[in-house]
Each structure stands twice: as C-alpha cells, then as structure tokens.
Amino acid sequence: QVQLVESGGGWVQAGGSLRLSCTASGRTFGSYAMAWFRQAPGKERAFVAAISWSGVTIYYADSVKGRFTISRERNKNTQYLQMNSLAPEDTAVYYCAAGQVVSTTTEYNYWGQGTQVTVSS
C-alpha cells in the first residue's frame, strides 16, 4: 500500500518559519516527481511547489517564490518544504503529492492526508 505522510505543520507567528516533510512508503519514489499543494478554508486546492525526480526541474507558485524552498532526498523517499517569512495568507492544509510527471496541476497519482499550517498575525 502506497502512503505519503506529511509532518512538520503547526502554528507559527507571521514572519516565522516551518519545515514540512513528506515521507513515502510502499514503493520507491526515486523516479517520481513530488509536489506540495495547499488548501485554505473555502478555497480550492492550490499548487505551491514541485520538484522533478532528478531535482533539476523545480516550479514554485508566484505567491511563495523567494520564501519557500522545495527539496528532496531520493534515497530516503522524502521531500521537504522549507517555508520562511510566513504570512497569515499561507494558512492552509498542506498536501504532499507524487506522480510520474512534474506538474503544477493536481494530476499526481498519490496524495498525503495533509498537515495543517496556521500563521497568526
């Protein structure tokens, strides 16, 4: 059974930082692209960042460029999202995703359960 498990969410004040982790199990994701999406209350799930299997291709949503950094450790089946200079509008449930093609859309094969990030002003 394939599982993606996120961790690292929590509460932080505006201007603070958090690092999210996502560990995959059930298969090897070394050849898969991985991504982060987020969903705020009452809004649709939105793209945040994505990284290709090799780590060469990386995409960011305009709203997080310069503040968030995506990375991965293929040998650990784990990806990370370092989030700096957090703002209240970053408050959302953050989802990890994995798929065969790096993309900014939701066309990923596997999804985690999500981790809550709350940023207070």
Side-chain angles (χ1 to χ4, degrees), residues 23-56:
T23 299
S25 62
R27 67 166 297 148
T28 300
F29 282 85
S31 61
Y32 274 60
M34 301 190 81
W36 292 95
F37 289 76
R38 65 186 181 186
Q39 188 165 17
K43 295 189 176 181
E44 293 187 351
R45 193 168 296 189
F47 169 74
V48 175
I51 186 168
S52 63
W53 70 271
S54 65
V56 172

Side-chain angles (χ1 to χ4, degrees), residues 46-108:
F47 169 74
V48 175
I51 186 168
S52 63
W53 70 271
S54 65
V56 172
T57 301
I58 292 177
Y59 299 124
Y60 292 104
D62 288 343
S63 58
V64 307
K65 279 180 183 175
R67 300 188 299 125
F68 291 11
T69 302
I70 189 171
S71 61
R72 67 187 297 172
E73 290 186 271
R74 292 173 60 195
N75 60 340
K76 294 183 179 180
N77 268 359
T78 299
Q79 70 157 340
Y80 306 96
L81 186 68
Q82 177 66 44
M83 304 186 294
N84 299 328
S85 302
L86 282 161
E89 50 265 37
D90 294 316
T91 295
V93 177
Y94 283 71
Y95 295 91
C96 169
Q100 294 181 313
V101 178
V102 64
S103 170
T104 62
T105 69
T106 57
E107 55 184 81
Y108 286 84

